[in-house]
Amino acid sequence: MDKGEKTKRKVMDAAVSLFNVRGYSGTSVRAIANEAGVNGALISYYFGNKQGLLEQLMIDFLENYTNIVEESYKKLELVSAKSCLYTIVTDLLKYQQKNHHLARFVHREVTLDSTLVRELMMTYLMKEKHFVKALVEAGMKKKEFRQLSCDFVVIQLRALLTMPYSQPQYIREVYHLQPHEEYFVQKYIKHIERWLSEFLYNDISESEELKLNKIVSNK
């Protein structure tokens, strides 16, 4: 990493730290420069302005996030749908754990209604939905997964994957766990795998499957 990239990274890390504490509106370019220990002019040079810095942070996170999903999906021709889904779960949790401050900030920002968020939704989160839904549909077709609403599965899975990093304070205060620690990821992967086994994986008998479908259809 050259000097310019190191400076950009220092600015981005400082911005995330301040945005999480003060919010985007409550953080000035000067405060970011002071936190990063750089000249404020460098922020304009590398990012244009504070909005440009915000966009870069969100794009970097979401691009890496969706790339993890896409790369795992591409392995579907070689491995089972279960294996692909397990890879997605594992890699996304590890990615968020490694970048927990940025994950918290981005997950919070995408709850806001803004032009930027709408554009990011169309570019990245729709892409994420496409690949996860296609994977779930493939698993159902192969009879690895139960016949459920694909959209419902995607929504529930996304909630499980992002909640510890969108609301880390809740996890810390209520459950006394540290979602940024590696041990949390190791335990949480097992929790999600158990949920998938009980909810999605097609490991039940045909009679149980018919009974489940009847219950779901009557709701």
Side-chain angles (χ1 to χ4, degrees):
M1 186 182 295
D2 61 27
K3 185 177 180 180
E5 285 300 313
K6 287 181 179 178
T7 300
K8 285 180 66 176
R9 177 50 53 191
K10 285 174 64 177
V11 170
M12 293 169 75
D13 289 345
V16 170
S17 178
L18 291 173
F19 289 163
N20 273 325
V21 175
R22 304 180 185 179
Y24 172 76
S25 299
T27 303
S28 66
V29 171
R30 177 179 293 181
I32 295 171
N34 289 339
E35 181 75 11
V38 302
N39 190 308
L42 289 175
I43 296 177
S44 297
Y45 175 75
Y46 287 118
F47 305 101
N49 51 32
K50 189 172 73 165
Q51 178 67 20
L53 174 54
L54 170 71
E55 293 177 9
Q56 189 66 59
L57 288 169
M58 297 188 71
I59 288 171
D60 282 0
F61 178 83
L62 292 173
E63 189 167 313
N64 289 325
Y65 190 99
T66 52
N67 282 344
I68 289 172
V69 177
E70 183 176 2
E71 290 304 310
S72 297
Y73 174 78
K74 288 179 179 178
K75 299 174 184 176
L76 188 58
E77 293 183 0
L78 303 174
V79 299
S80 68
K82 284 183 180 181
S83 180
C84 283
L85 190 56
Y86 181 79
T87 300
I88 288 175
V89 167
T90 302
D91 289 352
L92 286 182
L93 286 175
K94 288 181 178 178
Y95 173 66
Q96 292 178 101
Q97 180 261 327
K98 184 178 179 181
N99 302 277
H100 58 280
H101 290 305
L102 181 57
R104 179 185 184 185
F105 172 69
V106 173
H107 290 323
R108 185 172 61 190
E109 285 297 304
V110 296
T111 65
L112 305 177
D113 185 15
S114 67
T115 301
L116 172 61
V117 169
R118 288 193 291 271
E119 291 174 351
L120 293 174
M121 288 279 189
M122 292 302 297
T123 304
Y124 296 106
L125 299 186
M126 289 296 288
K127 183 178 178 182
E128 175 200 2
K129 176 198 168 187
H130 166 75
F131 284 115
V132 177
K133 185 175 180 180
L135 173 58
V136 172
E137 288 174 339
M140 290 179 182
K141 187 175 181 180
K142 293 180 178 181
K143 300 189 183 304
E144 293 181 49
F145 300 158
R146 299 174 187 173
Q147 295 299 317
L148 301 169
S149 166
C150 289
D151 288 333
F152 187 62
V153 173
V154 172
I155 290 170
Q156 284 197 305
L157 182 60
R158 176 170 173 76
L160 282 169
L161 288 170
T162 60
M163 185 273 181
Y165 298 97
S166 63
Q167 302 180 54
Q169 192 69 15
Y170 175 83
I171 297 295
R172 287 195 294 267
E173 297 299 326
V174 177
Y175 290 98
H176 308 294
L177 296 170
Q178 302 292 335
H180 66 277
E181 296 287 352
E182 188 175 343
Y183 81 89
F184 172 82
V185 172
Q186 294 170 350
K187 293 183 67 174
Y188 197 60
I189 287 172
K190 293 178 181 178
H191 170 76
I192 295 182
E193 185 69 6
R194 181 174 179 180
W195 175 81
L196 288 170
S197 180
E198 294 177 353
F199 172 71
L200 181 63
Y201 295 165
N202 196 16
D203 295 330
I204 61 176
S205 67
E206 185 176 352
S207 61
E208 289 175 317
E209 182 74 16
L210 290 171
K211 188 184 296 183
L212 177 64
N213 289 338
K214 186 176 180 180
I215 293 171
V216 172
S217 64
N218 289 335
K219 286 186 177 181

